[in-house]
Amino acid sequence: MSLWAKCSKRKTSWTDLNPGQRYSAFENFREVGGRCYFVWIDPPMCTRARQIIPGLLKKVYKLENNLKQVNKLENDMKQLEDDLERKRSREK
């Protein structure tokens, strides 16, 4: 096994220029003079994929955020229903 393979981690780029492209980078590359040492694992994506994927990712992030908000509202509503039920039971 090469020194590179022992000292590096495989990661995935989610930048607009290289969405979903895997690369191998040194674990401590930030400590090595502030330079980034990495090697692309996957071949470059086609231009169309680089145009489409960032927009799709933004939509996914927005939907995930909306889902978190809905879950929070459902939890808040459940808490309010429980509080109301306790209040009604005390009044009886």
Side-chain angles (χ1 to χ4, degrees):
M1 183 177 281
S2 71
L3 176 62
W4 179 264
K6 290 179 185 176
C7 298
S8 65
K9 278 190 172 181
R10 287 187 177 201
K11 299 183 178 191
T12 303
S13 170
W14 292 112
T15 64
D16 287 349
L17 293 177
N18 302 298
Q21 192 170 0
R22 294 175 305 152
Y23 64 97
S24 189
F26 274 114
E27 288 183 29
N28 59 351
F29 67 89
R30 299 221 188 272
E31 297 171 12
V32 183
R35 294 189 180 134
C36 179
Y37 296 98
F38 71 95
V39 173
W40 292 113
I41 297 169
D42 295 329
M45 290 193 170
C46 69
T47 302
R48 184 71 176 141
R50 287 194 314 260
Q51 292 171 345
I52 292 173
I53 292 174
L56 293 174
L57 286 172
K58 288 175 188 171
K59 288 179 182 181
V60 167
Y61 295 147
K62 184 177 180 180
L63 288 171
E64 287 174 344
N65 189 41
N66 289 346
L67 182 59
K68 286 179 186 177
Q69 290 175 350
V70 166
N71 288 336
K72 184 185 180 319
L73 290 172
E74 285 178 342
N75 289 337
D76 292 348
M77 190 170 78
K78 175 77 170 111
Q79 183 65 44
L80 289 171
E81 288 172 346
D82 291 347
D83 292 347
L84 181 61
E85 184 62 35
R86 280 193 292 276
K87 184 175 180 179
R88 284 182 180 160
S89 67
R90 277 189 240 135
E91 289 177 355
K92 290 182 179 182

